[in-house]
Amino acid sequence: MISQIKQYVKTLSILSCLGGIAICSVPALANEEQQIDIVIPTEKREVIYHKTIFSLSGQPKYHVGFQHVDYVNPNAPKGGVIKLAEVGSFDNLNRFASRGAPERNSGSLYDSLFTSTADDITSFYPLIATSITYSNQYRWAEVAINPNARFQDDKPITAHDVEFTFHKFMTEGAPQYRVYNKGITVKAIDDHHVRVDIPESDREKLLSFVGSMRVIPKHFWQHHDFSEPLSTPPVGSGPYYISDYKMGQYVVYRRNPKYWARDLPINKGLDNFDEKRIDYYMDDNVSLEAFKAGEYDLRTEDQPKNWFTQYQGRYFDNSHIIKQEKPVKTATDTKWLAFNLQKELFKDIKVRKAISLAFDFEWLNHAFYYDSYKRPYSFFENTIYAAKGKPTEQELKWLNPYKHIIPEAVFDDAYSISKSDGQGFNRDNLLKAAELLKQAGWEIKNGKLINTKTEQPFEFELISSLGSDIKYAIPFQQNLARLGITMKITLLDSAQHLRRVRERDYDMVARYYYAVNYPNSNLLMFWGSEYLNSSWNASWLHNKAIDGIIAEIIKNVDNQEELVPLGRALDRILTQEYPMIPMWYNSKTYYAYWNKFGQPAIQPTYGIGVDSWWYDANKAASLSKNREH
């Protein structure tokens, strides 16, 4: 493409002398961060960009020529082992299989064309790719592949692998991937250049697709079904490969000493451990005791009660185990209970609102969680896109066209749920809930809530994973019983739970809604009507208003003036439909680790930066004997 541009510019320069054509100034081609304006008729002006670093929103934090990111020690020593843990099990090593329970970290085996940083999540920096060329029409992009790029078996990564990867995901990947990327084509031009075309002009979709695309090896995966579980380690492209494993019990990732990208600016100071061992535990309480006994090195804690009562003893007193708390100031994962709106029982919004009122967050937070949780009232929690107060004129511009299909409450104050007194009775909210249920056609008979038309009792099932926190479930069950509702609690192993979620075989399920830092095209998979087969949309909520506003969001990702009211308008619709009951999120990130690591002076904005830590042999030597390696 670049050679074509050079020739085209040369031709245009000659033609401009003859008149009848408009020419913009063209900067020297030696500069990688260049903008090339190619114009034939003025009204069809096309601007060509050639960039090594690009951003979806705003300007990148780091610019061409940066040496390393801020939150690393570029001279960090390599070596040692870090031991980690997961709760649950796994039966295969293919993170992208459509069935089974994959090893949760196996997606990290593959590098992407570009990558983001933990302090700049909206920008993309070169990894497998060296640059991207695209126009202001946002219909195509051409990507240059680093000729030094190698898979873990030392075979070169080429544009043909990129083309194969896309084909594999489109034919054997998750259904939502095929839907979202319908109409896109990826074609190798030669060994080191690949072209991407999309059916409609869409800046955010084009750049995010290219920036985040993982690359898998054609020579390995052409012999395997990408949708099926994998019983042996695949060939990867990342800094670690699987060196040892036992299905369902543990996996060992070994640092690849020949990793071709280890000295790229984006990787300097990262991936310092020779080994990362991950042990699986069926129960989180057992996992906690294993951590305190020294069986693994680092643990994040999402149970405040555990944090305040279990993280103590001589190892904590003598600083062999270090406790850390990091205030949550950015968008964060939030936990909700999702209604399955396919179920007739939950079709009426009054019913969903009533059940939401029966969840006594204030009492649960005080009784079980040491007042450490906050309750989310937005799907853009901790961001400027969360709805507040009454809708502004800018928000109404987007909401009014859908007035006939969205709840009236959307046009009133932002979503909230009445607080209880925190004493455990929740009387006022239960009275409100009982009235809503009566309006929805339910009445109490012999202590049971009965539908006045069908005479069926109000009964449903809540499913959850074995080993997860369900302390909230019994008090919630008891509050519902006061309304005459029977809620059955079913605990499943991780494979069964995943299967039932995929098949939408549940009435209610506890789900994390992953952090949304700014409204973007990912919202399609969370809420778009075309993605209902995706397990991301746990509630099955969808309508034309949601689809329409998400479509506008995608058009305005780089237009903050419009993005803020669009995000808040969408938030109002989603929350006032009551598709999920807001549970909580931690006001702080709690984590503890055995004191055997060195850490950079600066911590990244998004996360605790474990991939920038390193093994400190002197610290390890001062620990108890079972902590030495």
Side-chain angles (χ1 to χ4, degrees):
M1 181 69 194
I2 297 305
S3 61
Q4 294 173 335
I5 290 172
K6 289 178 179 178
Q7 183 59 44
Y8 197 19
V9 171
K10 182 179 179 181
T11 303
L12 288 175
S13 300
I14 296 170
L15 289 174
S16 65
C17 299
L18 303 177
I21 195 167
I23 298 292
C24 297
S25 60
V26 181
L29 287 165
N31 179 9
E32 282 192 306
E33 290 299 310
Q34 63 188 292
Q35 169 181 311
I36 306 170
D37 296 342
I38 300 176
V39 182
I40 303 180
T42 304
E43 66 272 13
K44 294 182 179 180
R45 180 174 183 266
E46 184 174 19
V47 182
I48 306 296
Y49 301 99
H50 178 66
K51 297 185 176 183
T52 58
I53 298 171
F54 57 98
S55 181
L56 298 177
S57 179
Q59 295 298 315
K61 177 174 181 177
Y62 303 102
H63 302 288
V64 174
F66 80 102
Q67 298 301 304
H68 58 81
V69 296
D70 291 345
Y71 55 89
V72 302
N73 170 8
N75 300 311
K78 306 289 185 182
V81 177
I82 184 169
K83 294 183 178 180
L84 305 169
E86 296 278 5
V87 174
S89 185
F90 69 98
D91 60 15
N92 86 87
L93 301 173
N94 176 15
R95 181 68 182 84
F96 307 103
S98 298
R99 62 184 183 87
E103 201 289 303
R104 295 175 187 174
N105 304 274
S106 53
S108 66
L109 288 169
Y110 309 103
D111 274 344
S112 51
L113 293 174
F114 295 83
T115 188
S116 299
T117 69
D119 58 356
D120 185 16
I121 57 176
T122 63
S123 298
F124 292 100
Y125 299 85
L127 190 51
I128 291 174
T130 57
S131 65
I132 179 175
T133 302
Y134 60 95
S135 85
N136 63 338
Q137 304 302 310
Y138 305 113
R139 292 286 306 276
W140 60 269
E142 291 189 4
V143 180
I145 306 299
N146 194 319
N148 297 318
R150 294 289 184 274
F151 288 110
Q152 291 167 346
D153 58 2
D154 208 34
K155 286 183 168 53
I157 301 175
T158 72
H160 305 287
D161 293 295
V162 179
E163 179 182 338
F164 172 83
T165 297
F166 179 70
H167 176 75
K168 204 71 167 172
F169 270 98
M170 287 297 286
T171 56
E172 299 172 8
Q176 60 266 31
Y177 185 91
R178 295 195 289 272
V179 174
Y180 182 75
N181 294 310
K182 183 179 180 180
I184 292 179
T185 61
V186 177
K187 184 69 176 175
I189 299 171
D190 55 36
D191 285 352
H192 298 119
H193 295 88
V194 64
R195 181 180 174 100
V196 175
D197 288 275
I198 65 175
E200 297 177 353
S201 177
D202 190 329
R203 178 183 183 275
E204 195 266 344
K205 185 172 186 176
L206 178 68
L207 297 185
S208 62
F209 174 85
V210 172
S212 59
M213 186 179 181
R214 289 184 174 98
V215 182
I216 64 174
K218 179 179 180 179
H219 63 274
F220 176 87
W221 279 107
Q222 65 185 345
H223 305 298
H224 297 83
D225 188 334
F226 201 53
S227 66
E228 289 297 310
L230 196 64
S231 60
T232 56
V235 175
S237 56
Y240 287 88
Y241 64 93
I242 295 176
S243 62
D244 190 17
Y245 65 96
K246 188 171 184 179
M247 287 296 183
Q249 297 186 30
Y250 71 87
V251 62
V252 176
Y253 288 84
R254 182 80 184 173
R255 185 168 59 85
N256 180 10
K258 296 181 180 180
Y259 179 47
W260 73 273
R262 62 187 179 276
D263 294 324
L264 290 182
I266 200 66
N267 285 329
K268 283 184 180 177
L270 298 177
D271 304 318
N272 301 313
F273 301 108
D274 279 348
E275 281 189 4
K276 295 189 291 186
R277 179 187 171 103
I278 302 162
D279 288 298
Y280 277 72
Y281 295 85
M282 292 301 295
D283 183 88
D284 192 54
N285 292 322
V286 174
S287 175
L288 172 57
E289 293 306 314
F291 169 73
K292 292 193 292 183
E295 294 300 317
Y296 62 96
D297 300 322
L298 169 69
R299 176 181 168 90
T300 57
E301 182 57 70
D302 61 2
Q303 298 298 314
K305 185 175 182 179
N306 283 346
W307 185 252
F308 289 107
T309 63
Q310 299 298 312
Y311 287 72
Q312 47 190 250
R314 65 186 181 93
Y315 289 137
F316 296 90
D317 295 338
N318 61 19
S319 296
H320 283 194
I321 300 179
I322 306 295
K323 293 174 62 176
Q324 295 286 297
E325 299 181 6
K326 183 178 181 179
V328 173
K329 297 179 180 179
T330 59
T332 185
D333 297 348
T334 51
K335 194 169 185 179
W336 304 66
L337 287 170
F339 297 102
N340 184 350
L341 300 188
Q342 289 178 293
K343 303 289 184 176
E344 191 64 34
L345 197 60
F346 299 131
K347 296 286 188 184
D348 194 321
I349 195 170
K350 294 187 181 71
V351 168
R352 303 198 297 271
K353 187 172 182 178
I355 295 176
S356 299
L357 286 165
F359 190 86
D360 191 350
F361 168 77
E362 285 71 30
W363 181 80
L364 288 167
N365 193 31
H366 183 71
F368 294 148
Y369 305 116
Y370 285 70
D371 295 314
S372 290
Y373 284 149
K374 291 183 179 180
R375 196 171 198 187
Y377 292 109
S378 168
F379 290 106
F380 298 107
E381 195 69 26
N382 279 355
T383 75
I384 60 174
Y385 308 101
K388 298 178 181 178
K390 288 183 167 34
T392 63
E393 288 299 318
Q394 293 92 334
E395 292 171 52
L396 289 172
K397 177 180 74 173
W398 302 111
L399 293 170
N400 281 330
Y402 303 106
K403 198 167 188 175
H404 61 295
I405 61 170
I406 57 179
E408 289 183 14
V410 167
F411 298 91
D412 206 336
D413 287 325
Y415 169 84
S416 65
I417 294 178
S418 302
K419 293 183 179 180
S420 75
D421 60 8
Q423 300 301 309
F425 299 105
N426 201 21
R427 176 180 169 80
D428 291 343
N429 278 352
L430 290 178
L431 288 172
K432 295 175 185 175
E435 178 59 29
L436 286 168
L437 291 167
K438 182 178 179 181
Q439 294 173 17
W442 296 85
E443 63 180 8
I444 294 287
K445 288 184 179 180
N446 300 320
K448 297 290 185 181
L449 193 66
I450 304 297
N451 188 282
T452 55
K453 292 182 179 179
T454 66
E455 297 188 350
Q456 294 298 310
F458 200 125
E459 299 175 345
F460 71 94
E461 179 190 32
L462 166 67
I463 66 169
S464 187
S465 297
L466 281 167
S468 60
D469 170 37
I470 59 162
K471 291 191 290 292
Y472 67 87
I474 299 300
F476 183 41
Q477 184 185 55
Q478 292 169 343
N479 273 342
L480 291 171
R482 293 173 190 171
L483 295 170
I485 296 173
T486 300
M487 182 180 79
K488 178 185 176 183
I489 303 167
T490 301
L491 299 180
L492 304 164
D493 65 40
S494 56
Q496 289 177 311
H497 186 267
L498 183 59
R499 178 186 61 79
R500 290 191 59 177
V501 168
R502 284 173 174 167
E503 296 175 0
R504 210 175 292 277
D505 180 18
Y506 56 85
D507 300 320
M508 179 180 283
V509 63
R511 293 298 300 270
Y512 277 103
Y513 187 80
Y514 295 109
V516 178
N517 294 283
Y518 65 98
N520 58 66
S521 61
N522 286 338
L523 293 168
L524 282 171
M525 284 183 283
F526 292 162
W527 303 107
S529 296
E530 292 184 272
Y531 297 85
L532 293 178
N533 289 331
S534 165
S535 59
W536 289 103
N537 189 342
S539 67
W540 217 67
L541 172 66
H542 66 287
N543 59 45
K544 290 183 179 179
I546 294 170
D547 292 340
I549 291 181
I550 291 176
E552 292 297 332
I553 283 171
I554 292 169
K555 294 176 186 176
N556 288 278
V557 167
D558 58 341
N559 182 355
Q560 189 75 343
E561 187 176 341
E562 289 286 14
L563 195 61
V564 171
L566 277 166
R568 291 177 179 177
L570 178 64
D571 196 34
R572 291 180 189 278
I573 297 173
L574 296 178
T575 52
Q576 296 292 0
E577 288 279 5
Y578 285 82
M580 299 196 275
I581 302 171
M583 296 176 72
W584 51 66
Y585 66 95
N586 258 318
S587 59
K588 296 179 180 179
T589 298
Y590 300 119
Y591 64 100
Y593 58 90
W594 283 83
N595 191 14
K596 51 182 275 191
F597 304 112
Q599 299 178 37
I602 298 175
Q603 199 172 62
T605 306
Y606 303 96
I608 60 179
V610 179
D611 57 350
S612 67
W613 294 9
W614 62 90
Y615 178 79
D616 189 318
N618 292 328
K619 287 184 178 180
S622 68
L623 298 177
S624 302
K625 198 166 188 179
N626 68 328
R627 302 307 307 157
E628 297 175 0
H629 292 292

